[in-house]
Amino acid sequence: MTFSIVARDPETRAVGVGVQSKFVSVGSVVPFASADAGAIATQSFANVEYGPAGLDLLRRGHDAEAVVETLTAGDSEAESRQVGVVGRNGSVAAFTGDECFDTAGDIQGETYTVQGNILENEATLHAMADTYEETDGGLPERLLAALHAGNEAGGDSRGEQSAAMYVVKPEGGYDGGNDRWIDVRVDDHDAPIDELERVFKLYDVTLLEREPPAETTDLTGETAQAVQQTLADLGLYEGDPSETFDASARDALESFRGLNNFENHSLDVLEDALANGWDDADGEGESQLVDAIWHGLSRLDRV
């Protein structure tokens, strides 16, 4: 009841998994990853031992194909399993047992593998693979795009419930203390991939770093007035919203920055992000501010 993509980005040395399922808390079962090994998705009557055992094999120098062969050879129920493996050094492989419920299958590309079972159709897998290859941006954006495409093409024949994205890279974790670069999950939701994207954007703005812009743009005109009105609605700005973003408005934005733990980005960078991202933002109120900041930051490279 699951479809997933395992992929790596050679430029950033990031590797990870995106997954959706008609199964509660799929993020606690399917994805495994380690920056010194690679990433693994285990699903369809998932054998969670495949995760740590497979990563250990990758760490010891086995390629993805050898990992799949070793894992399935020692499993008496392998024909009901499905697994996708991408090694940190570039190897890719997958396995779909003959007893997996239809529609089940997998597709590999140069840096990724997609796999699914109990799917509405094979088009789900092709849509995921094609979209991943055609999408610009970083690894998380490409994983999310692949999940959306698979779902729109047919997806899980039993419906939607949970989704997750887990991506690692060397020193990618909080304050560089581990490799857990992106770790977001939606355990039970009517539209889990949409919700996963919303949560990821908040995570991205809060925890991930970007190269600062060479020059920053000031808030002016109708955008400045709209941002001030939103800050006023949130109780952070007491002035009359105008097309000039003055010192009191910046103080309100600084309060918003602190309340939302956006210290990864300076006040000037947040103002620049709002100026460049407001027209593309969705939502209302605080969610619109966050979405605008995310869109404005998205034109900058991640560190």
Side-chain angles (χ1 to χ4, degrees):
M1 299 177 288
T2 303
F3 56 89
S4 68
I5 176 168
V6 188
R8 63 184 285 268
D9 180 355
E11 292 186 6
T12 63
R13 294 188 294 162
V15 60
V17 181
V19 58
Q20 194 277 159
S21 183
K22 181 62 176 73
F23 187 91
V24 69
S25 190
V26 70
S28 68
V29 177
V30 169
F32 292 83
S34 179
D36 64 353
I40 295 173
T42 174
Q43 58 199 53
S44 181
F45 298 99
N47 184 343
V48 294
E49 293 182 2
Y50 282 11
L55 291 175
D56 186 55
L57 289 167
L58 289 169
R59 203 174 282 118
R60 287 158 48 193
H62 296 269
D63 65 17
E65 185 173 354
V67 169
V68 168
E69 291 176 356
T70 301
L71 293 175
T72 55
D75 184 356
S76 62
E77 299 182 28
E79 292 305 325
S80 66
R81 317 282 196 200
Q82 198 169 41
V83 61
V85 180
V86 173
R88 70 178 179 90
N89 291 325
S91 59
V92 178
F95 171 82
T96 298
D98 290 339
E99 296 176 12
C100 291
F101 294 139
D102 289 337
T103 297
D106 55 79
I107 298 173
Q108 287 71 56
E110 184 177 355
T111 60
Y112 69 90
T113 175
V114 298
Q115 44 281 318
N117 62 90
I118 318 185
L119 300 176
E120 189 69 28
N121 50 42
E122 290 186 6
T124 297
L125 297 173
H126 290 285
M128 293 177 71
D130 292 345
T131 299
Y132 182 79
E133 292 191 0
E134 295 166 1
T135 298
D136 295 326
L139 183 57
E141 283 82 7
R142 297 177 73 189
L143 293 177
L144 282 168
L147 291 180
H148 276 301
N151 200 46
E152 291 166 3
D156 193 321
S157 64
R158 295 192 181 184
E160 305 174 59
Q161 187 168 6
S162 66
M165 180 165 58
Y166 185 39
V167 182
V168 298
K169 74 172 187 175
E171 299 180 353
Y174 185 75
D175 201 28
N178 59 25
D179 66 359
R180 189 182 301 175
W181 190 41
I182 298 166
D183 186 2
V184 288
R185 285 168 37 181
V186 175
D187 288 340
D188 185 30
H189 197 275
D190 291 340
I193 301 173
D194 290 341
E195 180 66 2
L196 183 70
E197 183 171 16
R198 185 194 70 82
V199 174
F200 166 67
K201 287 180 177 180
L202 182 59
Y203 182 103
D204 190 6
V205 172
T206 307
L207 292 171
L208 304 187
E209 298 183 14
R210 304 267 184 172
E211 294 284 355
E215 297 182 358
T216 56
T217 305
D218 294 334
L219 275 167
T220 59
E222 293 181 359
T223 300
Q225 189 169 11
V227 170
Q228 288 173 74
Q229 184 60 61
T230 304
L231 292 170
D233 293 342
L234 294 173
L236 300 175
Y237 180 64
E238 297 181 353
D240 294 324
S242 71
E243 295 188 357
T244 300
F245 206 74
D246 59 15
S248 60
R250 284 176 58 83
D251 287 344
L253 183 58
E254 173 63 21
S255 296
F256 178 81
R257 185 175 79 107
L259 286 169
N260 287 277
N261 304 300
F262 291 164
E263 287 85 358
N264 264 0
H265 313 288
S266 71
L267 184 61
D268 287 342
V269 169
L270 281 194
E271 183 176 348
D272 171 84
L274 285 167
N276 284 282
W278 187 260
D279 289 343
D280 296 320
D282 295 323
E284 297 179 353
E286 184 171 340
S287 64
Q288 187 176 13
L289 282 177
V290 173
D291 202 49
I293 291 169
W294 184 83
H295 278 287
L297 291 174
S298 291
R299 76 189 200 284
L300 307 173
D301 291 334
R302 290 192 179 92
V303 177

